[in-house]
Amino acid sequence: MTTNLQQAGTITAAFVMGRNTLRTLFSPEDLARLHGMVALVDSEPIADFAAPGALERLKGVQLLITGWGAPVIDAYLLDRLPELRCIVHSAGTVKTFLSPEVYARGIEVSSSAAANAVPVAEFTFAAIVMGLKRARRFSEQLRTTGATRNVAGFPTIGTNGVTIGLVGASRVGRLVIGLLKNLDARVLVYDPYLTAVDASELGVETVELDQLCALSDVVSVHAPDIAETRGIIGAPQLALMKDGTLVINTARGSLIDAAALTTELVSGRLDAYLDVTDPEPLPADSVLHTLPNVVLTPHIAGAMGNEIHRLGSHAVMEIRRLSEGLPLAYPVLATDLARIA
Protein backbone atom coordinates (compact mmCIF):
# COMPACT_ATOMS: atom_id res chain seq x y z
CA MET A 1 0.00 0.00 0.00
CA THR A 2 1.30 3.43 -0.89
CA THR A 3 0.04 6.87 0.03
CA ASN A 4 -0.36 9.80 -2.26
CA LEU A 5 1.57 12.02 0.10
CA GLN A 6 4.06 14.27 -1.60
CA GLN A 7 7.76 13.68 -1.60
CA ALA A 8 10.36 14.61 1.03
CA GLY A 9 10.12 18.02 2.62
CA THR A 10 6.57 18.79 1.52
CA ILE A 11 4.40 16.68 3.84
CA THR A 12 2.52 18.88 6.28
CA ALA A 13 2.31 17.20 9.69
CA ALA A 14 1.21 17.79 13.27
CA PHE A 15 1.81 16.10 16.60
CA VAL A 16 -1.38 14.92 18.29
CA MET A 17 -0.78 13.45 21.76
CA GLY A 18 -0.62 14.32 25.43
CA ARG A 19 1.31 17.47 26.26
CA ASN A 20 4.02 15.62 28.15
CA THR A 21 4.21 12.71 25.73
CA LEU A 22 6.24 14.18 22.89
CA ARG A 23 9.66 14.25 24.53
CA THR A 24 8.98 11.00 26.33
CA LEU A 25 8.53 9.19 23.03
CA PHE A 26 10.99 11.08 20.83
CA SER A 27 14.65 11.67 21.52
CA PRO A 28 16.10 15.10 20.59
CA GLU A 29 17.83 13.41 17.65
CA ASP A 30 14.59 11.92 16.34
CA LEU A 31 12.77 15.23 16.74
CA ALA A 32 15.50 16.87 14.68
CA ARG A 33 15.11 14.19 12.01
CA LEU A 34 11.37 14.79 11.88
CA HIS A 35 11.84 18.52 11.41
CA GLY A 36 14.07 17.70 8.44
CA MET A 37 11.54 15.35 6.83
CA VAL A 38 8.19 17.11 7.15
CA ALA A 39 6.74 20.56 7.57
CA LEU A 40 5.42 20.58 11.13
CA VAL A 41 2.66 23.09 11.83
CA ASP A 42 3.90 23.39 15.41
CA SER A 43 6.75 21.96 17.46
CA GLU A 44 4.33 21.28 20.34
CA PRO A 45 1.59 18.64 20.32
CA ILE A 46 -2.15 19.20 20.15
CA ALA A 47 -3.76 17.38 23.07
CA ASP A 48 -7.33 18.67 22.74
CA PHE A 49 -9.08 19.38 19.45
CA ALA A 50 -11.52 21.67 21.27
CA ALA A 51 -8.74 23.93 22.54
CA PRO A 52 -8.72 27.47 21.10
CA GLY A 53 -7.00 27.53 17.71
CA ALA A 54 -6.41 23.76 17.56
CA LEU A 55 -8.45 23.11 14.44
CA GLU A 56 -7.05 26.20 12.77
CA ARG A 57 -3.52 24.86 13.32
CA LEU A 58 -4.52 21.55 11.71
CA LYS A 59 -5.88 23.01 8.46
CA GLY A 60 -4.14 21.47 5.48
CA VAL A 61 -2.40 18.78 7.54
CA GLN A 62 -1.68 15.58 5.59
CA LEU A 63 -0.09 13.55 8.38
CA LEU A 64 -0.92 13.21 12.06
CA ILE A 65 1.82 11.89 14.34
CA THR A 66 -0.05 10.51 17.35
CA GLY A 67 1.01 9.12 20.70
CA TRP A 68 -0.21 8.40 24.22
CA GLY A 69 -3.00 10.75 25.22
CA ALA A 70 -4.18 11.42 21.67
CA PRO A 71 -7.80 12.61 21.59
CA VAL A 72 -10.38 10.63 19.62
CA ILE A 73 -10.14 11.06 15.87
CA ASP A 74 -13.69 10.83 14.54
CA ALA A 75 -15.90 12.01 11.69
CA TYR A 76 -16.28 15.50 13.18
CA LEU A 77 -12.53 16.01 13.13
CA LEU A 78 -12.02 14.36 9.74
CA ASP A 79 -14.60 16.67 8.17
CA ARG A 80 -12.27 19.51 9.15
CA LEU A 81 -9.11 17.83 7.88
CA PRO A 82 -9.84 17.17 4.20
CA GLU A 83 -6.15 16.83 3.33
CA LEU A 84 -5.39 14.14 5.94
CA ARG A 85 -3.94 11.03 4.30
CA CYS A 86 -2.05 9.16 7.01
CA ILE A 87 -1.81 8.67 10.79
CA VAL A 88 1.45 7.36 12.25
CA HIS A 89 1.00 6.29 15.86
CA SER A 90 4.18 6.35 17.91
CA ALA A 91 2.83 3.88 20.48
CA GLY A 92 0.94 0.57 20.49
CA THR A 93 -2.79 0.12 20.00
CA VAL A 94 -4.77 2.54 17.85
CA LYS A 95 -8.14 1.09 18.85
CA THR A 96 -8.58 3.46 21.79
CA PHE A 97 -8.70 6.67 19.78
CA LEU A 98 -9.36 5.94 16.09
CA SER A 99 -12.97 5.72 14.95
CA PRO A 100 -13.95 3.40 12.05
CA GLU A 101 -14.50 6.53 9.97
CA VAL A 102 -10.71 6.83 9.60
CA TYR A 103 -10.64 3.64 7.56
CA ALA A 104 -13.89 4.42 5.77
CA ARG A 105 -12.21 7.50 4.32
CA GLY A 106 -9.15 5.60 3.11
CA ILE A 107 -6.72 7.14 5.57
CA GLU A 108 -3.69 4.94 6.14
CA VAL A 109 -2.61 4.03 9.64
CA SER A 110 0.66 2.77 11.09
CA SER A 111 1.67 2.04 14.68
CA SER A 112 4.77 1.32 16.72
CA ALA A 113 3.27 -1.81 18.26
CA ALA A 114 6.11 -3.86 16.78
CA ALA A 115 8.64 -1.73 18.66
CA ASN A 116 6.72 -2.10 21.92
CA ALA A 117 6.71 -5.87 21.41
CA VAL A 118 10.50 -6.05 21.78
CA PRO A 119 10.74 -5.41 25.55
CA VAL A 120 7.68 -7.59 26.19
CA ALA A 121 9.38 -10.49 24.41
CA GLU A 122 12.61 -9.87 26.30
CA PHE A 123 10.72 -9.80 29.59
CA THR A 124 8.94 -13.05 28.69
CA PHE A 125 12.20 -14.79 27.82
CA ALA A 126 13.72 -13.64 31.11
CA ALA A 127 10.63 -14.87 32.99
CA ILE A 128 10.95 -18.28 31.33
CA VAL A 129 14.59 -18.63 32.33
CA MET A 130 14.16 -17.30 35.87
CA GLY A 131 10.86 -19.08 36.37
CA LEU A 132 12.21 -22.48 35.36
CA LYS A 133 15.28 -21.86 37.50
CA ARG A 134 12.68 -21.49 40.29
CA ALA A 135 14.41 -18.26 41.35
CA ARG A 136 11.40 -16.99 43.31
CA ARG A 137 11.13 -20.24 45.29
CA PHE A 138 14.85 -20.25 46.09
CA SER A 139 14.78 -16.57 47.06
CA GLU A 140 11.88 -17.07 49.45
CA GLN A 141 13.48 -20.19 50.89
CA LEU A 142 16.69 -18.29 51.56
CA ARG A 143 14.81 -15.39 53.14
CA THR A 144 12.67 -17.50 55.45
CA THR A 145 14.94 -20.40 56.39
CA GLY A 146 18.46 -19.44 55.41
CA ALA A 147 18.66 -22.64 53.39
CA THR A 148 20.65 -22.59 50.14
CA ARG A 149 19.90 -24.82 47.17
CA ASN A 150 17.55 -27.12 49.03
CA VAL A 151 15.51 -28.59 46.18
CA ALA A 152 13.31 -30.85 48.27
CA GLY A 153 9.75 -30.52 47.04
CA PHE A 154 10.72 -28.26 44.14
CA PRO A 155 9.39 -28.77 40.59
CA THR A 156 11.81 -29.61 37.79
CA ILE A 157 14.57 -27.01 37.61
CA GLY A 158 16.08 -25.58 34.42
CA THR A 159 15.35 -25.08 30.72
CA ASN A 160 17.16 -28.06 29.23
CA GLY A 161 14.83 -30.12 27.06
CA VAL A 162 11.62 -28.43 28.21
CA THR A 163 8.46 -27.85 26.20
CA ILE A 164 7.30 -24.26 25.99
CA GLY A 165 3.75 -23.48 24.90
CA LEU A 166 2.80 -20.06 23.52
CA VAL A 167 -0.84 -19.04 23.35
CA GLY A 168 -0.82 -16.69 20.40
CA ALA A 169 1.65 -16.11 17.58
CA SER A 170 1.30 -12.35 17.91
CA ARG A 171 4.11 -9.85 17.36
CA VAL A 172 5.30 -10.60 20.86
CA GLY A 173 4.79 -14.33 20.44
CA ARG A 174 6.90 -14.40 17.30
CA LEU A 175 9.71 -12.45 18.92
CA VAL A 176 9.62 -14.86 21.87
CA ILE A 177 9.92 -17.75 19.42
CA GLY A 178 13.08 -16.15 18.04
CA LEU A 179 14.57 -15.76 21.51
CA LEU A 180 13.69 -19.34 22.43
CA LYS A 181 16.08 -20.56 19.75
CA ASN A 182 18.75 -19.85 22.38
CA LEU A 183 17.33 -22.68 24.50
CA ASP A 184 17.23 -26.42 24.05
CA ALA A 185 13.44 -26.40 24.02
CA ARG A 186 10.48 -27.67 22.04
CA VAL A 187 8.07 -24.86 21.17
CA LEU A 188 4.33 -25.41 20.76
CA VAL A 189 1.91 -22.73 19.59
CA TYR A 190 -1.84 -22.44 19.75
CA ASP A 191 -3.14 -19.80 17.36
CA PRO A 192 -6.09 -20.41 15.00
CA TYR A 193 -4.68 -17.79 12.62
CA LEU A 194 -1.21 -19.35 12.31
CA THR A 195 -0.87 -21.23 9.04
CA ALA A 196 1.11 -24.43 8.62
CA VAL A 197 3.52 -22.59 6.33
CA ASP A 198 4.13 -19.84 8.89
CA ALA A 199 4.57 -22.41 11.67
CA SER A 200 7.13 -24.27 9.60
CA GLU A 201 9.05 -21.06 8.89
CA LEU A 202 8.99 -20.20 12.60
CA GLY A 203 10.18 -23.68 13.53
CA VAL A 204 7.28 -24.42 15.88
CA GLU A 205 4.56 -27.05 16.19
CA THR A 206 0.91 -26.03 16.14
CA VAL A 207 -1.43 -27.79 18.56
CA GLU A 208 -4.87 -27.30 20.05
CA LEU A 209 -5.06 -25.33 23.29
CA ASP A 210 -5.82 -28.28 25.58
CA GLN A 211 -2.93 -30.25 24.09
CA LEU A 212 -0.59 -27.31 24.60
CA CYS A 213 -1.62 -27.02 28.26
CA ALA A 214 -1.15 -30.74 28.87
CA LEU A 215 2.28 -31.03 27.21
CA SER A 216 4.02 -27.80 28.18
CA ASP A 217 6.40 -27.04 31.04
CA VAL A 218 5.74 -23.34 30.39
CA VAL A 219 2.49 -21.78 29.19
CA SER A 220 2.95 -18.15 28.14
CA VAL A 221 0.01 -16.03 26.97
CA HIS A 222 0.42 -13.68 24.00
CA ALA A 223 -3.12 -13.17 22.70
CA PRO A 224 -5.04 -9.89 22.36
CA ASP A 225 -7.81 -8.97 24.78
CA ILE A 226 -10.88 -9.55 22.61
CA ALA A 227 -14.18 -11.32 23.26
CA GLU A 228 -12.92 -14.63 21.87
CA THR A 229 -9.86 -14.74 24.12
CA ARG A 230 -11.15 -13.57 27.50
CA GLY A 231 -10.85 -16.47 29.93
CA ILE A 232 -9.19 -18.60 27.26
CA ILE A 233 -7.13 -20.22 30.02
CA GLY A 234 -9.83 -21.42 32.41
CA ALA A 235 -10.10 -24.03 35.13
CA PRO A 236 -10.18 -26.95 32.63
CA GLN A 237 -6.98 -25.78 30.92
CA LEU A 238 -5.21 -25.16 34.22
CA ALA A 239 -6.21 -28.62 35.45
CA LEU A 240 -4.57 -30.15 32.37
CA MET A 241 -1.19 -28.61 33.23
CA LYS A 242 1.50 -30.78 34.78
CA ASP A 243 2.61 -30.16 38.34
CA GLY A 244 5.26 -27.43 38.30
CA THR A 245 4.11 -25.85 35.03
CA LEU A 246 5.12 -22.20 34.82
CA VAL A 247 2.31 -19.84 33.76
CA ILE A 248 3.41 -16.47 32.32
CA ASN A 249 1.09 -13.63 31.45
CA THR A 250 2.42 -10.43 29.87
CA ALA A 251 -0.70 -9.86 27.76
CA ARG A 252 -3.87 -9.05 29.71
CA GLY A 253 -5.13 -10.40 33.03
CA SER A 254 -8.58 -11.16 31.62
CA LEU A 255 -7.19 -13.94 29.42
CA ILE A 256 -6.78 -16.24 32.43
CA ASP A 257 -9.56 -17.17 34.85
CA ALA A 258 -8.27 -15.36 37.94
CA ALA A 259 -10.13 -17.43 40.54
CA ALA A 260 -9.08 -20.73 38.98
CA LEU A 261 -5.46 -19.62 38.67
CA THR A 262 -5.40 -18.43 42.28
CA THR A 263 -6.67 -21.80 43.45
CA GLU A 264 -3.90 -23.62 41.57
CA LEU A 265 -1.21 -21.23 42.80
CA VAL A 266 -2.31 -21.42 46.43
CA SER A 267 -2.07 -25.20 46.19
CA GLY A 268 1.54 -24.81 45.07
CA ARG A 269 0.93 -27.03 42.05
CA LEU A 270 1.81 -24.34 39.49
CA ASP A 271 4.28 -21.44 39.36
CA ALA A 272 3.51 -18.07 37.81
CA TYR A 273 5.12 -14.86 36.55
CA LEU A 274 2.28 -12.36 36.22
CA ASP A 275 2.94 -8.91 34.80
CA VAL A 276 -0.81 -8.40 34.34
CA THR A 277 -3.66 -9.52 36.57
CA ASP A 278 -7.42 -9.44 36.85
CA PRO A 279 -8.18 -7.06 38.46
CA GLU A 280 -5.20 -4.81 37.86
CA PRO A 281 -3.69 -3.94 40.20
CA LEU A 282 -4.48 -6.74 42.62
CA PRO A 283 -5.95 -5.76 45.99
CA ALA A 284 -3.30 -5.33 48.66
CA ASP A 285 -4.73 -8.29 50.57
CA SER A 286 -4.55 -10.71 47.62
CA VAL A 287 -2.97 -13.99 48.65
CA LEU A 288 -0.87 -13.92 45.49
CA HIS A 289 1.37 -11.30 47.09
CA THR A 290 2.45 -13.85 49.69
CA LEU A 291 3.11 -16.98 47.63
CA PRO A 292 6.65 -18.30 47.11
CA ASN A 293 5.72 -19.69 43.69
CA VAL A 294 4.41 -16.40 42.26
CA VAL A 295 6.22 -13.34 40.88
CA LEU A 296 4.04 -10.26 40.45
CA THR A 297 5.18 -7.20 38.52
CA PRO A 298 3.11 -4.04 37.90
CA HIS A 299 2.60 -4.17 34.12
CA ILE A 300 6.21 -3.30 33.32
CA ALA A 301 6.91 -5.67 30.41
CA GLY A 302 6.14 -3.04 27.76
CA ALA A 303 8.39 -0.13 26.91
CA MET A 304 9.75 1.78 29.90
CA GLY A 305 12.75 4.01 30.54
CA ASN A 306 15.29 3.89 27.73
CA GLU A 307 13.05 1.48 25.79
CA ILE A 308 10.44 4.16 25.08
CA HIS A 309 12.52 6.07 22.54
CA ARG A 310 12.44 2.93 20.40
CA LEU A 311 8.76 3.71 19.77
CA GLY A 312 9.53 7.22 18.56
CA SER A 313 12.36 5.96 16.37
CA HIS A 314 9.99 3.42 14.85
CA ALA A 315 7.53 6.20 13.97
CA VAL A 316 10.33 8.28 12.46
CA MET A 317 11.30 5.32 10.29
CA GLU A 318 7.73 5.06 8.98
CA ILE A 319 7.58 8.79 8.28
CA ARG A 320 10.87 8.61 6.40
CA ARG A 321 9.32 5.95 4.18
CA LEU A 322 6.35 8.23 3.51
CA SER A 323 8.64 11.13 2.68
CA GLU A 324 10.44 8.91 0.17
CA GLY A 325 7.21 7.72 -1.45
CA LEU A 326 7.53 4.19 -0.02
CA PRO A 327 4.69 2.12 1.46
CA LEU A 328 4.29 1.84 5.20
CA ALA A 329 6.28 -1.01 6.71
CA TYR A 330 3.87 -1.52 9.63
CA PRO A 331 0.35 -0.69 8.45
CA VAL A 332 -2.61 -1.28 10.73
CA LEU A 333 -5.35 -2.59 8.46
CA ALA A 334 -9.08 -2.39 9.08
CA THR A 335 -9.34 -6.14 8.47
CA ASP A 336 -6.93 -6.82 11.35
CA LEU A 337 -8.61 -4.71 14.01
CA ALA A 338 -10.91 -7.46 15.27
CA ARG A 339 -8.02 -9.73 16.18
CA ILE A 340 -5.23 -7.45 17.34
CA ALA A 341 -4.61 -5.70 20.63
Side-chain angles (χ1 to χ4, degrees), residues 113 116-118 120-121 124 168-177 222 250:
N116 193 50
V118 174
V120 182
T124 301
S170 59
R171 288 186 182 93
V172 174
R174 291 174 187 239
L175 289 175
V176 172
I177 289 168
H222 302 288
T250 56

Side-chain angles (χ1 to χ4, degrees), residues 1-3 108 317-318 321-322 324-331:
M1 183 182 295
T2 57
T3 68
E108 291 190 80
M317 178 272 293
E318 283 285 63
R321 292 180 65 86
L322 293 175
E324 295 173 352
L326 298 172
L328 294 169
Y330 294 91

